[in-house]
């Protein structure tokens, strides 16, 4: 088999597939990952902030049972393997998108799988803030909402960007998995051609492209996190 | 006028209940620079946080200009906090904002227009001598400069009271002096009441008018600074004035000697030591009973206890001689045993 991978027919066939399938697959992968990341952040960030602010000594203490429920839901969703979760959320996917197969439909399970992860990441970013800064804001007469919007979020922007990059790359990995239930993108190509039809060259190429996309987004994320961090500005 | 009446505060910790404050009463007059001094764990930080209700006392009341702030709603309290601002040991600047935006922060909170806030912030940066650093970020500034920005921020809402929580403890002696000088200026020019929490005798001596000594959550002594430090009655006050006694080594002193306490607060070091000069020029022989001084950039900081044999007149002329040097304070001390 080893010789077949690079045989002239295999190379020709691979080139055909690259030309016809890869541009759309790359676009689908990026589109699904970005949309899923955005939705996961929209749900996960406020949740992560709430986990910190809502603590007993926090700036906006929540009833402890409510905090407990939030934590349980997050841990529960994070424990379910993504492959199983995709199937479990079929009813919800159908409700929102109208169908359970296809690229857009794969965004729903991705968001459900990613937002608890994003909430934990956001929680850790917010916890990095020096508590004395929060005390300063309180002593200055800031309301809990003002502390969240003017202190907690802006002060943790570099860390939030780093963590958003981690979330993005993780979701990219998940989105490849969603190829199994008909989600589009590079993952689907890798599975359909590589796994089902033994066209390993295609699979390897798809994986290399995924690696390149991860590299690009990680570099952008690291650059932005460093660039926005005013603590790194030296004299 | 800040009226603290019988406040107590306990904390539940892993080691059981800690009584942070026990029936503390103090009154701080308008325009005063009031020092609250004590060792760590004496309850100073809790006390100062009760003044703006960052900590709510378990019992007792805090009245500011006759208003019992413990009874206010959270919303009202936030308005009151604009009148009682605070600076901290760790400066607590917003690290992702530049200096100008840091000073604007309290103004933003109270809804002042952006252009007005900026104008006011620039004026304040001028007062603290950092107008040229408006666009710099806190990480680019030294500790002393950061504290100046924090002071400018604390002044932004035209407060009546400035609380200083170990505001100079993270700074070197020279910077400490310049920050204290700034605080004194602010007190004089703007008439803001200043409450200073510290564990450093030198801070209280160089700036405060009145002082309270806190020990084990209780006020053990209070009065004017010179009164308290020249006649330390309580054990805690004596430990501050005679630091050696705490470690057990007795002060070497002849019976019947009078004790003078000298404080060096940035006096220029000279070739002939001050005490030796006094012996030569005035004929007053002094026995150095205790000394803890250090020289930084040619300036001397610290304190000394001198034993002098002689009557009140001799002591007086010694004090006159010593205080002729600038940045040296000297006073006779009683109750040292």
């Amino acid at each position: 088999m080893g010789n077949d991978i690079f045989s002239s027919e295999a190379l020709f066939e691979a080139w055909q597939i690259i030309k016809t399938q890869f541009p759309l697959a790359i676009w689908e992968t990026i589109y699904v990952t970005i949309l899923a990341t955005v939705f996961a952040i929209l749900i996960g960030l406020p949740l992560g902030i709430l986990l910190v602010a809502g603590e007993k000594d926090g700036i906006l203490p929540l009833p402890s049972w409510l905090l407990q429920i939030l934590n349980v839901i997050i841990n529960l969703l994070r424990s379910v393997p993504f492959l199983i979760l995709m199937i479990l959320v079929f009813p919800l996917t159908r409700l929102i998108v109208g169908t359970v197969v296809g690229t857009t439909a794969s965004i729903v399970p991705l968001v459900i799988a990613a937002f608890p992860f994003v909430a934990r990441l956001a929680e850790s970013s917010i916890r990095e803030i020096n508590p004395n800064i929060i005390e300063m804001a309180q002593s200055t007469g800031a309301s809990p909402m003002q502390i969240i919007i003017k202190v907690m979020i802006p002060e943790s922007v570099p860390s939030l960007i780093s963590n958003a990059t981690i979330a993005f790359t993780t979701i990219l990995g998940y989105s490849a998995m969603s190829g199994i239930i008909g989600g589009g993108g590079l993952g689907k190509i890798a599975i359909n051609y590589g796994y089902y039809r033994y066209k390993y060259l295609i699979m390897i190429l798809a994986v290399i492209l995924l690696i390149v996309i991860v590299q690009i987004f990680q570099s952008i994320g690291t650059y932005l996190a460093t660039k926005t961090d005013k603590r790194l500005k030296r004299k | 006028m800040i009226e603290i009446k019988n406040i107590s505060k306990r904390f539940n910790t892993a080691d059981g209940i800690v009584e942070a404050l026990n029936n503390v009463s103090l009154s701080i007059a308008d325009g005063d620079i009031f020092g609250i001094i004590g060792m760590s764990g004496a309850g100073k930080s809790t006390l100062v946080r009760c003044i703006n209700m960052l900590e709510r006392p378990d019992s007792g009341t805090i009245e500011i200009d006759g208003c019992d702030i413990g009874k206010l709603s959270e919303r009202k309290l936030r308005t009151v906090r604009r009148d009682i601002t605070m600076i901290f040991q760790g400066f607590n600047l917003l690290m992702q904002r530049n200096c100008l935006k840091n000073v604007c922060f309290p103004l933003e909170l109270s809804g002042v227009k952006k252009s007005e806030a900026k104008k006011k912030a620039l004026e304040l940066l001028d007062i603290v001598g950092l107008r040229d650093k408006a666009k710099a970020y806190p990480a680019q500034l030294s500790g002393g400069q950061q504290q100046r920005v924090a002071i400018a921020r604390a002044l932004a809402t035209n407060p009546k009271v400035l609380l200083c929580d170990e505001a100079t403890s993270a700074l070197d002696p020279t910077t400490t002096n310049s920050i204290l000088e700034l605080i004194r200026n602010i007190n004089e020019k703007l008439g803001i009441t200043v409450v200073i929490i510290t564990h450093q005798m030198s801070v209280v001596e160089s700036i405060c008018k009145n002082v309270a000594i806190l020990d084990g959550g209780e006020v053990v002594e209070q009065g004017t600074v010179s009164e308290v430090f020249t006649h330390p009655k309580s054990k805690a006050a004596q430990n501050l004035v005679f630091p050696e006694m705490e470690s057990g080594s007795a002060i070497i002193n002849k019976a019947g000697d009078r004790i003078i306490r000298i404080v060096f607060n940035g006096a220029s070091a000279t070739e002939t030591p001050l005490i030796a000069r006094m012996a030569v020029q005035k004929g007053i022989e002094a026995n150095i009973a205790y000394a803890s001084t250090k020289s930084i950039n040619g300036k001397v900081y610290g304190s000394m206890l001198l034993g002098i044999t002689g009557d009140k007149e001799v002591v007086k002329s010694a004090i006159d001689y010593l205080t002729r040097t600038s940045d040296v304070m000297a006073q006779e001390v009683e109750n040292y045993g």
Side-chain angles (χ1 to χ4, degrees):
Chain A
M1 182 197 79
N3 295 330
D4 296 347
I5 290 188
F6 298 109
S7 66
S8 59
E9 301 99 274
L11 282 173
F12 178 75
E13 191 189 31
W15 175 242
Q16 289 303 318
I17 293 168
I18 289 168
K19 267 206 308 198
T20 54
Q21 310 256 13
F22 271 43
L24 179 68
I26 293 170
W27 159 246
E28 279 178 339
T29 294
I30 292 175
Y31 146 84
V32 164
T33 308
I34 287 180
L35 264 185
T37 307
V38 167
F39 283 121
I41 288 173
L42 284 179
I43 305 170
L45 179 61
L47 200 55
I49 292 169
L50 216 55
L51 289 178
V52 183
E55 283 187 322
K56 197 160 61 85
D57 303 323
I59 54 161
L60 203 67
L62 292 176
S64 62
W65 59 266
L66 185 59
L67 210 59
Q68 208 105 45
I69 288 177
L70 289 178
N71 271 303
V72 167
I73 292 175
I74 288 170
N75 292 341
L76 211 104
L77 286 171
R78 290 204 59 202
S79 321
V80 182
F82 180 61
L83 217 57
I84 311 292
L85 192 78
M86 278 193 297
I87 298 159
L88 283 178
V89 298
F90 271 169
L92 184 68
T93 310
R94 187 169 287 121
L95 196 76
I96 296 172
V97 190
T99 171
V100 295
V101 286
T103 309
T104 310
S106 70
I107 292 176
V108 177
L110 281 174
V111 172
I112 303 291
F115 88 82
F117 177 55
V118 170
R120 287 279 180 239
L121 288 173
E123 180 190 4
S124 87
S125 286
I126 300 291
R127 276 193 207 286
E128 280 170 33
I129 299 171
N130 179 352
N132 293 335
I133 298 250
I134 307 294
E135 188 187 44
M136 177 283 293
Q138 286 175 318
S139 79
T140 312
S143 67
M145 226 32 205
Q146 283 175 320
I147 292 177
I148 290 172
I149 290 166
K150 289 186 177 290
V151 180
M152 283 183 160
I153 296 177
E155 284 294 299
S156 51
V157 158
S159 168
L160 286 171
I161 292 177
S162 291
N163 281 335
T165 313
I166 294 178
F168 179 88
T169 50
T170 306
I171 293 171
L172 187 79
Y174 282 172
S175 84
M177 244 190 274
S178 74
I180 290 182
I181 58 150
L186 290 166
K188 185 178 89 177
I189 291 187
I191 290 169
N192 284 354
Y193 290 91
Y195 185 63
Y196 294 144
R197 291 192 231 161
Y198 308 107
K199 298 195 192 309
Y200 293 112
L201 191 60
I202 303 295
M203 187 173 75
I204 289 166
L205 273 173
V207 171
I208 288 173
L209 273 171
L210 283 172
I211 293 170
V212 169
I213 294 174
V214 168
Q215 285 291 341
I216 290 172
F217 278 86
Q218 183 63 55
S219 303
I220 294 173
T222 308
Y223 170 78
L224 285 178
T226 318
K227 173 124 182 153
T228 53
D229 197 348
K230 308 297 191 242
R231 287 170 299 184
L232 303 175
K233 289 206 166 196
R234 291 284 158 216
K235 286 165 209 181
Chain B
M1 178 89 164
I2 303 170
E3 199 84 53
I4 300 170
K5 285 182 195 154
N6 312 100
I7 63 166
S8 298
K9 175 83 185 175
R10 293 167 169 206
F11 292 107
N12 289 315
T13 66
D15 310 324
I17 293 169
V18 174
E19 198 131 7
L21 293 173
N22 188 8
N23 207 20
V24 170
S25 295
L26 286 176
S27 79
I28 300 170
D30 284 343
D32 198 355
I33 303 183
F34 194 98
I36 298 172
I37 188 169
M39 294 296 128
S40 57
K44 321 179 286 280
S45 285
T46 310
L47 179 57
V48 76
R49 277 162 181 72
C50 283
I51 299 178
N52 60 6
M53 289 283 149
L54 282 178
E55 294 282 2
R56 286 187 180 266
D58 297 331
S59 61
T61 58
I62 312 257
E63 281 179 23
I64 292 178
D65 295 334
C67 165
D68 181 353
I69 59 167
K71 289 210 173 78
L72 298 176
S73 66
E74 277 296 318
R75 182 182 295 267
K76 275 262 177 60
L77 199 55
R78 290 201 280 268
T79 326
V80 169
R81 283 185 185 144
R82 290 173 199 159
D83 287 338
I84 316 164
T85 55
M86 196 166 179
I87 58 173
F88 306 83
Q89 178 169 9
F91 324 128
N92 297 351
L93 296 177
L94 296 166
M95 299 307 280
Q96 307 293 353
R97 282 180 177 227
N98 65 27
C99 295
L100 185 71
K101 293 249 171 69
N102 261 289
V103 181
C104 285
F105 178 69
L107 298 167
E108 267 173 40
L109 296 181
S110 50
V112 174
K113 259 199 288 174
K114 257 204 173 131
S115 55
E116 270 174 54
K118 192 181 163 190
K119 195 169 146 250
K120 172 94 186 176
L122 280 171
E123 278 170 28
L124 288 165
L125 282 175
D126 222 11
I127 291 180
V128 300
L130 285 177
R131 197 187 178 112
D132 55 324
K133 298 282 184 195
K135 290 274 186 284
Y137 287 92
Q140 297 166 294
L141 302 180
S142 68
Q145 288 172 324
Q146 289 194 41
Q147 194 61 290
R148 281 169 186 273
V149 176
I151 290 171
R153 177 177 63 190
L155 297 177
T157 46
N158 300 319
K160 285 186 274 190
V161 180
L162 177 66
L163 306 174
C164 310
D165 182 22
E166 297 277 9
T168 56
S169 301
L171 304 171
D172 64 69
T174 319
T175 318
T176 295
N177 267 6
S178 76
I179 293 290
L180 293 177
E181 192 57 43
L182 175 64
I183 293 173
R184 196 196 337 260
N185 273 337
I186 287 163
N187 167 264
E188 280 168 9
K189 286 190 188 136
L190 308 174
I192 294 173
T193 310
V194 180
V195 179
I196 290 186
I197 299 290
T198 184
H199 66 273
Q200 294 169 305
M201 275 283 277
S202 55
V203 169
V204 174
E205 279 173 315
S206 66
I207 183 171
C208 296
K209 296 169 191 163
N210 293 291
V211 64
I213 298 177
L214 210 57
D215 187 35
E218 293 180 40
V219 174
V220 289
E221 216 160 313
Q222 63 172 310
T224 66
V225 170
S226 61
E227 191 183 293
V228 169
F229 286 170
T230 54
H231 302 85
K233 295 184 197 76
S234 63
K235 191 90 189 91
Q238 286 171 4
N239 282 342
L240 285 166
V241 179
F242 313 108
E244 283 300 87
M245 309 231 330
E246 205 174 15
S247 57
S249 58
I251 289 174
I252 314 150
N253 197 33
K254 279 190 289 179
D257 270 8
R258 286 167 180 277
I259 294 279
I260 296 178
R261 181 162 185 277
I262 314 175
V263 176
F264 298 91
N265 209 354
S268 309
T270 49
E271 271 180 34
T272 350
L274 185 63
I275 312 304
R277 257 191 299 149
M278 181 171 78
V280 173
Q281 294 181 6
K282 284 281 168 181
I284 302 170
E285 285 181 27
N287 162 35
I288 299 179
Y290 163 80
S292 167
T293 58
K294 56 190 165 197
S295 173
I296 296 160
N297 296 332
K299 292 189 182 279
V300 184
Y301 296 89
S303 64
M304 221 181 245
L305 293 174
L306 297 183
I308 289 177
T309 318
D311 55 11
K312 264 200 148 52
E313 280 306 304
V314 179
V315 170
K316 192 177 173 303
S317 68
I319 290 174
D320 283 346
Y321 180 81
L322 293 168
T323 48
R324 234 183 283 159
T325 314
S326 60
D327 294 316
V328 171
M329 288 185 282
Q331 281 172 320
E332 188 180 353
V333 196
E334 289 167 16
N335 307 325
Y336 62 91

